[in-house]
Amino acid sequence: MTARIFKAAKNAMQSGMAKTRDWQLDYEPEQARVIEPLMGWTSSTDMKQQLSLHFDTKEDAVAYCEREGIAYQVIEPQGRIERKVAYSDNFAFGRQEPWSH
């Protein structure tokens, strides 16, 4: 049983940074999912896939895994690229890309 510790990415439908500050612990699937022949639904008997724990810091998540004897992998978050964008930049004289309708 291996766990992944990571910071959740921002949802594509949100503009703010809500729910991205916590560290999350998810378990790797131990068994492959199977397709049920009657309805065609995907199912699994691995209940650890449904478990997701949230921690305030990475150190708390690592300490939990070490205390419980769970093998873990820490995935560091990628930094945000913040660009300063203004509407007037669309009409700037030194624009890098050609502007057309």
Side-chain angles (χ1 to χ4, degrees):
M1 165 175 54
T2 305
R4 289 179 290 164
I5 299 172
F6 61 96
K7 265 191 167 182
K10 184 180 78 153
N11 186 345
M13 298 299 293
Q14 71 188 48
S15 61
M17 296 302 293
K19 298 183 182 177
T20 60
R21 296 185 188 352
D22 291 344
W23 287 84
Q24 188 172 342
L25 183 140
D26 286 343
Y27 289 97
E28 291 284 338
E30 292 181 354
Q31 299 172 353
R33 295 179 182 234
V34 295
I35 298 174
E36 294 185 3
L38 180 62
M39 298 297 290
W41 294 341
T42 305
S43 67
S44 175
T45 57
D46 186 13
M47 293 297 153
K48 294 228 183 227
Q49 290 180 354
Q50 299 177 6
L51 183 62
S52 179
L53 301 174
H54 297 271
F55 298 92
D56 291 332
T57 63
K58 174 175 66 171
E59 290 76 21
D60 290 343
V62 169
Y64 173 79
C65 287
E66 290 176 353
R67 184 176 62 240
E68 298 296 324
I70 301 169
Y72 63 91
Q73 172 188 13
V74 177
I75 301 170
E76 294 293 333
Q78 296 179 356
R80 287 183 60 196
I81 300 172
E82 294 189 23
R83 298 183 312 164
K84 184 176 179 182
V85 180
Y87 179 70
S88 61
D89 291 340
N90 291 333
F91 308 102
F93 180 73
R95 184 179 168 97
Q96 299 294 327
E97 305 154 359
W99 183 79
S100 63
H101 293 297

